[in-house]
Amino acid sequence: MVGTKTKKTVLILLFLSGAFLRLWRISDVPVSLFGDELDVGFHAYSILKTGKDYYGNPWPTQFHSIAEWRTPLYLYSVVPSVRLFGITPLGVRLPASLFGIVTLPLLYLLVKKLTNDDRVSMASVFVMTFSPWHIQYSRAGFEVAELIFLLILGLYLFLKSISSGKWLWVSVASFALMPWVYSTAKLFSPLMMFFLFLVWRREILSLPKKYLIYAVLSLIVIGFPVAYGTFFGGGTQRFNYISVFSDPTIEPEVGTARQADARARGEMGTGLNPTVLDKVFHNKVVFWVDNIGHNYFQALSSDFLFNEGDPNPRHSTRGIGQFYKVEVLGLVLGLSLFFAKFKDRKIKLLVIFWIMAGVFPSALTRDGGNHATRLILVLPPLVFLIAYGLSSVHEIFPKLLRFILYTIYFILFSLSFVFYQHNYWVHNPTDSERWWHAGYQEAIQSVKAIDSSYDRVVISSAGEPPWIFFAGWYEYPPDLWQKNFPIGNDIELPGFGKVSHIDKFYFGSPSGGVYDWGKVMDKNILYLAVAREVNVNLIMEPGRTPNDLVLLKSIAYPSGEPAFYLFRGK
């Protein structure tokens, strides 16, 4: 057993370390709010000012965004911090950081409830505190930090309620709120609740009836709106787009495979008729099952977990897996010893189910095998198994060997952590600058500072869709945005063609190259150009600015490469 004083000291140090790693300079790194974060911020700002999302829907259970319908809970969670700090990195990211921090003591309580072992519980907090996967998602405006918080809270209160039932309704509420946070929970949460009922049904049904009624009412009151929104309010739109079942490449792949079978039989020409066997071996269902199976194996592979991680630089730091490579030792040991030695069969079933069900929603999507956001549901059970393996060293090895093994592990872990931090703070800001849409803040705020001097302001559409970057960084009045929504509000602007607009702000690009723009722009038109439109580095060579344009400002990425230029005509 661990002494009470020692335990408290270690836990306090871990919690403080976790808070520092998740809060330190979150306004600066990641280098900018990317489009989805700005979308969250402007929705929260719109709710704050008007009680409606930026499409004008009052107090929605599904937020109507430009690209999709969004789950609501994190957006509502951001409203207080946006009220305090505005649409800024701190305003949008602070709730995620706080949810990430509060998850650490909750994880301790959950693992203590699962194992009644202080060492495993403390080791779990240690692994989660320094987890690159958890840190990454607690330092940006990602909904899934709140998702993991609710998941761990729900499981802890469920296990706590088995004996008395007092907290069962709060546990059910936590699980029912998860689909309000992130879409993978719309499948995972019902599966987890069904599993928990199935395995612990005797204990649940023996609880006082009033607690069961409270739990059912909690599920209905919280779960029904999100279920209705999912099926009738646009909540499945995103899944329909990204699922393996809507993959447009499957049909031609099936045709190509059947054609290859026909060629192997010696058939030639076009318009070949597939045989029954061709249809049995090559059809959509076979491809779906194959893709889902591939996603499962990829999600649990060493490449994803320990070597490469998610290829999206927003989700994973380059050169770092979702876990440190040295943690594979703890995972292998934990898997072996937990399932061989741990006595509670129900807890073992829970860990197995948690991992398999946690992968399932992501496995149903294209690129779901290495999508760290969709797969984050498996983070806690993998952390638990790593921690179980590390703490088991204390029991199975003699004192001297134990000391040597822990020392070697600590050195390797420390080196891995330092390497990760170096990459995260030194290299990642420039490696991922375009993924985080760096430059937009300075560009739009530069426009805002001088737009009163111009009759027309044109924001280039040659890069990312510009509307949310303009609305968010400009902090455009949400009531006016809703009233004069720019998308679909199109006009013909001479020299620019068909463009969308709101008030004097237009979203489009001029025809021709940069040396043609002076013909369609006068001194009353301000144009924010994407650097790639210009094809000349005007930061290094400002003298190459066309004679009939005035270069007002150049905006660079953190790397120094040009991101935007601000022009007016002469």
Side-chain angles (χ1 to χ4, degrees):
M1 294 293 291
V2 181
T4 302
K5 186 175 181 180
T6 301
K7 179 177 71 175
K8 287 183 177 179
T9 301
V10 171
L11 287 176
I12 289 172
L13 288 174
L14 287 174
F15 296 154
L16 290 175
S17 299
F20 178 80
L21 290 170
R22 287 156 180 78
L23 285 172
W24 174 248
R25 293 182 60 201
I26 59 169
S27 292
D28 304 318
V29 180
V31 294
S32 180
L33 293 178
F34 79 104
D36 282 0
E37 289 180 292
L38 272 176
D39 192 80
V40 167
F42 193 55
H43 268 310
Y45 188 64
S46 184
I47 286 288
L48 181 68
K49 296 294 184 180
T50 69
K52 302 175 182 178
D53 68 17
Y54 62 65
Y55 263 86
N57 304 305
W59 303 106
T61 57
Q62 295 284 332
F63 278 75
H64 192 182
S65 291
I66 290 172
E68 59 182 322
W69 291 83
R70 300 191 65 148
T71 49
L73 194 54
Y74 187 75
L75 280 76
Y76 284 118
S77 303
V78 169
V79 171
S81 55
V82 166
R83 171 69 178 83
L84 290 172
F85 306 110
I87 307 176
T88 63
L90 182 60
V92 174
R93 293 169 178 169
L94 183 60
S97 297
L98 295 179
F99 283 119
I101 293 165
V102 177
T103 294
L104 300 176
L106 267 181
L107 180 64
Y108 173 84
L109 295 174
L110 172 62
V111 177
K112 184 70 183 293
K113 203 72 181 173
L114 290 171
T115 64
N116 196 31
D117 189 316
D118 279 330
R119 285 196 178 89
V120 180
S121 305
M122 293 169 67
S124 296
V125 176
F126 173 82
V127 175
M128 187 71 93
T129 295
F130 298 101
S131 163
W133 198 346
H134 195 249
I135 291 172
Q136 189 85 11
Y137 282 91
S138 300
R139 289 186 57 86
F142 289 111
E143 304 97 326
V144 292
E146 186 174 11
L147 181 74
I148 296 301
F149 163 79
L150 288 172
L151 172 56
I152 292 175
L153 177 65
L155 278 172
Y156 169 66
L157 292 178
F158 172 80
L159 295 172
K160 189 178 176 67
S161 299
I162 290 302
S163 56
S164 68
K166 181 178 179 181
W167 298 100
L168 185 62
W169 74 273
V170 185
S171 171
V172 171
S174 297
F175 285 117
L177 282 171
M178 286 174 60
W180 290 67
V181 179
Y182 193 67
S183 292
T184 52
K186 293 176 182 178
L187 183 55
F188 173 84
S189 191
L191 289 174
M192 178 59 82
M193 285 192 286
F194 178 76
F195 170 84
L196 294 174
F197 177 78
L198 189 66
V199 174
W200 277 277
R201 61 189 180 279
R202 291 182 182 176
E203 293 87 343
I204 293 171
L205 294 175
S206 65
L207 293 173
K209 293 295 184 289
K210 66 176 182 178
Y211 294 132
L212 297 181
I213 293 172
Y214 295 160
V216 171
L217 289 175
S218 176
L219 180 61
I220 292 172
V221 170
I222 299 174
F224 176 77
V226 76
Y228 181 86
T230 297
F231 292 106
F232 303 106
T236 60
Q237 180 191 47
R238 176 67 174 165
F239 177 76
N240 292 336
Y241 175 70
I242 64 174
S243 79
V244 296
F245 307 113
S246 62
D247 188 343
T249 67
I250 288 181
E251 189 170 336
E253 286 184 16
V254 170
T256 300
R258 289 177 178 178
Q259 185 181 58
D261 284 5
R263 298 283 187 240
R265 292 192 299 271
E267 296 183 24
M268 303 300 292
T270 58
L272 303 174
N273 294 318
T275 66
V276 173
L277 281 179
D278 292 343
K279 295 178 180 179
V280 167
F281 285 113
H282 308 295
N283 57 70
K284 289 182 179 180
V285 175
V286 169
F287 274 83
W288 290 338
V289 171
D290 182 63
N291 286 341
I292 293 169
H294 173 269
N295 284 340
Y296 255 101
F297 281 108
Q298 187 178 20
L300 299 174
S301 69
S302 59
D303 273 349
F304 174 67
L305 294 178
F306 300 104
N307 292 325
E308 302 298 332
D310 189 316
N312 186 330
R314 287 195 298 262
H315 301 164
S316 188
T317 302
R318 185 176 297 177
I320 305 291
Q322 300 309 123
F323 294 92
Y324 303 113
K325 291 180 177 65
V326 67
E327 289 180 315
V328 71
L329 302 174
L331 182 59
V332 171
L333 195 59
L335 280 167
S336 304
L337 296 178
F338 177 72
F339 291 108
K341 294 181 61 178
F342 196 76
K343 294 180 180 179
D344 193 325
R345 185 178 64 88
K346 291 180 179 179
I347 300 302
K348 288 196 282 190
L349 286 174
L350 171 61
V351 173
I352 294 171
F353 179 83
W354 190 346
I355 294 173
M356 299 306 291
V359 174
F360 185 54
S362 187
L364 298 180
T365 65
R366 284 172 260 166
D367 75 7
N370 59 0
H371 197 291
T373 315
R374 300 175 200 157
L375 288 167
I376 202 169
L377 290 164
V378 302
L379 172 61
L382 293 177
V383 164
F384 167 73
L385 289 172
I386 292 170
Y388 193 89
L390 294 177
S391 61
S392 297
V393 171
H394 193 274
E395 300 176 3
I396 62 177
F397 292 105
K399 187 175 182 179
L400 179 59
L401 182 56
R402 187 169 68 217
F403 175 78
I404 294 171
L405 290 174
Y406 276 137
T407 301
I408 293 172
Y409 184 88
F410 180 76
I411 292 171
L412 293 174
F413 183 89
S414 299
L415 291 172
S416 299
F417 175 71
V418 169
F419 179 78
Y420 160 62
Q421 287 291 292
H422 173 78
N423 268 7
Y424 185 84
W425 292 100
V426 178
H427 298 289
N428 189 59
T430 53
D431 288 345
S432 63
E433 59 189 11
R434 295 172 190 266
W435 289 83
W436 289 101
H437 301 146
Y440 269 104
Q441 179 180 9
E442 183 181 354
I444 298 299
Q445 290 177 352
S446 297
V447 167
K448 186 175 183 178
I450 61 174
D451 66 51
S452 60
S453 302
Y454 297 88
D455 296 335
R456 292 173 176 172
V457 178
V458 185
I459 312 295
S460 175
S461 60
E464 296 290 329
W467 302 284
I468 197 60
F469 295 100
F470 170 76
W473 287 127
Y474 198 95
E475 293 195 356
Y476 199 85
D479 56 337
L480 298 180
W481 186 266
Q482 296 161 19
K483 182 179 179 181
N484 305 297
F485 197 76
I487 300 177
N489 188 13
D490 298 336
I491 65 168
E492 287 288 333
L493 187 64
F496 290 81
K498 188 177 181 181
V499 297
S500 60
H501 86 293
I502 182 168
D503 191 26
K504 68 175 183 179
F505 300 98
Y506 302 82
F507 305 92
S509 298
S511 55
V514 65
Y515 291 97
D516 301 312
W517 294 352
K519 300 172 186 176
V520 299
M521 291 169 54
D522 59 30
K523 64 180 181 179
N524 295 312
I525 293 180
L526 181 67
Y527 180 56
L528 179 65
V530 176
R532 72 181 185 190
E533 291 180 281
V534 177
N535 263 338
V536 177
N537 188 333
L538 296 180
I539 295 176
M540 299 293 292
E541 301 178 88
R544 295 184 64 182
T545 304
N547 294 328
D548 50 4
L549 293 177
V550 176
L551 176 62
L552 298 172
K553 188 171 185 179
S554 299
I555 295 100
Y557 289 112
S559 63
E561 289 294 312
F564 298 95
Y565 299 110
L566 202 53
F567 293 106
R568 70 166 173 83
K570 285 188 175 180

